[in-house]
């Protein structure tokens, strides 16, 4: 039996991961779950926000299904999400934005994969006060990380039969850093003859995505641009709650929904589990169970088209349990 680490997380995490596991069980898909606790409650109980069991188990299984974990703002402990990304060297954040029939988004023809570089750029957090009232924030760009993310995007495009990769940048202003990223990804593109390489200024890309998303296929971007653009794309297809994602490293993959822990609705039984379920479908693909993945994905789409089952965030009168049952009924 294949095994995977399951991190329920906190906030709505336990509710949506529980719903997701129920659907996987209903399909008869056998996964041995290694459950690891994380989040606020884990901090209160054990004095640390992530069980020490996590890293050895993650390396052993190579696959993690992770619920959201709250990051306290301005105080408390460091983001567990960041710690996991750093320690497992999850260098590619991948999100899949696809219009879902029956789900209202701005467009009904979106099918975009966004590959975001996850380890450098402005997120290295190198900031200093150079003089009073003057702060320098370093944006780090390396050729090696640019090549690694470019190769990841092209490999993914090749594997998924996609024909176009668009690199987002601001190389007209940041001629050195963004210039290096752009040149490096363009060089990578030369080894993939069947996939077109395009490049676009990130501000123009935001405009073009809203006007006509059908011109995009796979997008590759540095950390900050990727972060912003992936939330913009989520808005085009019905919101963060329906958007699946993964953080990928070499020989390790962490699957998680695009949204946060939604503390405002935690424990009320109304969280939308669809992003988590669609992330689990990506995980099943990754674990070489494509038929189960497709079955799960189609069942979630069917439930999302069922107005009675929808959770309140989607304008429905249903709840997590009702939605989960609708997915199971649709399998
Ligand atoms: P975090 O700091 O963990 O990112 P956040 O509150 O800043 O938390 P989200 O958790 O993504 O960000 O929540 C943003 C809004 O979207 C909240 O109003 C939340 O209730 C809603 N939301 C997020 N995820 C879901 C979900 N799965 N189902 C329903 N509503 C959700």
């Amino acid at each position: 039996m294949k095994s995977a680490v399951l991190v329920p997380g906190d906030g709505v995490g336990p509710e949506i991961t529980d719903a997701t596991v129920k659907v996987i069980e209903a399909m008869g898909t056998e996964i041995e779950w290694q459950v690891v606790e994380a989040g606020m409650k884990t901090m209160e109980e054990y004095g640390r926000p992530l069980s020490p069991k996590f890293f050895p188990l993650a390396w052993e299984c190579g696959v993690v299904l992770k619920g959201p974990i709250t990051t306290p703002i301005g105080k408390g402990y460091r983001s567990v999400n960041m710690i996991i990304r750093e320690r497992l060297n999850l260098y590619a954040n991948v999100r899949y934005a696809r219009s879902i029939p029956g789900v209202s988004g701005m467009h009904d023809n979106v099918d975009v994969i966004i590959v975001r570089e996850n380890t450098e750029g402005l997120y290295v957090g190198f900031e200093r006060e150079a003089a009073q009232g003057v702060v320098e924030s370093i944006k780090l760009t390396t050729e090696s990380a640019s090549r690694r993310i470019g190769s990841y995007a092209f490999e993914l495009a090749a594997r998924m039969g996609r024909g176009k990769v668009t690199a987002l940048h601001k190389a007209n202003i940041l001629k050195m850093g963004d210039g290096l990223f752009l040149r490096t990804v363009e060089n990578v593109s030369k080894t993939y003859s069947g996939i077109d390489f395009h490049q676009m200024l990130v501000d123009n890309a935001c405009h073009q995505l809203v006007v006509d998303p059908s011109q995009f296929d796979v997008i590759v971007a540095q950390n900050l641009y990727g972060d912003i653009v992936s939330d913009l794309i989520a808005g085009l297809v019905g919101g963060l709650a329906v958007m699946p994602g993964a953080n990928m490293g070499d020989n390790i993959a962490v699957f998680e929904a695009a949204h946060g822990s939604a503390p405002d609705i935690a424990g009320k039984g109304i969280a939308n589990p669809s992003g988590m379920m669609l992330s689990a479908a990506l995980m099943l693909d990754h674990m070489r169970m494509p038929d189960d993945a497709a079955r799960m994905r189609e069942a979630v789409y069917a439930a999302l088209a069922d107005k009675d089952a929808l959770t309140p965030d989607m304008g429905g009168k249903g709840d997590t349990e009702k939605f989960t049952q609708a997915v199971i009924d649709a399998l």
Side-chain angles (χ1 to χ4, degrees):
M1 196 192 302
K2 297 188 179 181
S3 50
V5 178
L6 176 70
V7 183
D10 59 14
V12 294
E15 297 162 64
I16 60 176
T17 48
D18 185 50
T20 302
V21 169
K22 276 196 184 120
V23 172
I24 292 175
E25 282 172 0
M27 290 199 299
T29 311
E30 292 195 344
I31 296 179
E32 189 189 345
W33 298 107
Q34 306 284 351
V35 181
V36 175
E37 293 162 31
M40 297 274 206
K41 234 175 107 219
T42 315
M43 181 74 192
E44 281 157 24
E45 273 173 37
Y46 304 106
R48 51 172 91 190
L50 178 65
S51 162
K53 285 192 311 191
F54 177 76
F55 290 104
L57 281 172
W59 285 120
E60 193 186 313
C61 299
V63 180
V64 178
L65 183 64
K66 178 182 156 299
I69 301 172
T70 307
T71 304
I73 297 174
K75 60 178 168 60
Y77 49 87
R78 254 190 98 212
S79 160
V80 177
N81 306 307
M82 291 289 288
I83 294 169
I84 292 176
R85 275 178 214 176
E86 276 171 26
R87 289 273 302 272
L88 298 180
N89 198 14
L90 303 170
Y91 60 84
N93 177 268
V94 189
R95 289 197 185 160
Y96 296 76
R98 193 172 146 189
S99 302
I100 301 169
V103 174
S104 68
M106 279 184 66
H107 294 274
D108 57 9
N109 58 347
V110 183
D111 189 2
V112 181
I113 304 175
I114 172 148
V115 177
R116 162 185 167 197
E117 205 291 320
N118 227 0
T119 64
E120 57 177 32
L122 272 168
Y123 288 57
V124 289
F126 297 159
E127 290 196 305
R128 69 173 193 127
E129 190 165 24
Q132 203 186 356
V134 181
V135 172
E136 289 176 348
S137 307
I138 305 277
K139 181 179 179 201
L140 184 77
T141 305
T142 64
E143 189 178 349
S144 56
S146 303
R147 193 180 316 110
R148 186 172 60 178
I149 201 69
S151 302
Y152 186 90
F154 274 91
E155 276 300 315
L156 182 68
R159 212 167 52 238
M160 301 203 58
R162 303 290 190 129
K164 181 175 174 183
V165 173
T166 305
L168 308 187
H169 65 94
K170 201 70 188 158
N172 55 339
I173 306 296
L174 298 166
K175 294 183 198 296
M176 289 180 71
D178 284 26
L180 174 63
F181 170 78
L182 185 57
R183 244 185 358 264
T184 308
V185 177
E186 187 167 11
N187 278 337
V188 169
S189 76
K190 290 176 185 151
T191 47
Y192 294 84
S193 53
I195 302 169
D196 292 339
F197 172 70
H198 288 246
Q199 48 96 4
M200 199 178 276
L201 292 173
V202 62
D203 43 349
N204 183 30
C206 291
H207 177 236
Q208 296 296 331
L209 275 162
V210 173
V211 173
D212 177 17
S214 70
Q215 59 188 298
F216 295 92
D217 193 345
V218 174
I219 288 177
V220 60
Q222 285 176 291
N223 217 333
L224 178 66
Y225 306 147
D227 193 5
I228 296 170
V229 170
S230 45
D231 275 26
L232 183 147
I233 299 179
L236 299 178
V237 295
L240 283 170
V242 296
M243 194 162 169
N247 285 300
M248 310 293 291
D250 290 327
N251 304 316
I252 183 99
V254 176
F255 296 87
E256 58 185 323
H259 61 80
S261 59
D264 51 336
I265 56 162
K268 295 186 178 160
I270 55 168
N272 182 350
S274 55
M276 194 73 232
M277 290 177 181
L278 293 171
S279 302
L282 293 174
M283 180 193 75
L284 296 176
D285 267 325
H286 180 82
M287 294 172 83
R288 299 182 204 284
M289 296 189 257
D291 295 341
D292 289 6
R295 214 175 138 212
M296 182 158 185
R297 200 172 282 124
E298 292 312 319
V300 174
Y301 289 163
L304 284 168
D306 175 356
K307 298 272 177 263
D308 291 336
L310 288 181
T311 45
D313 59 300
M314 307 285 294
K317 292 198 171 66
D319 54 25
T320 314
E321 199 182 329
K322 201 165 176 190
F323 183 85
T324 306
Q325 193 54 50
V327 177
I328 291 170
D329 292 345
L331 282 172

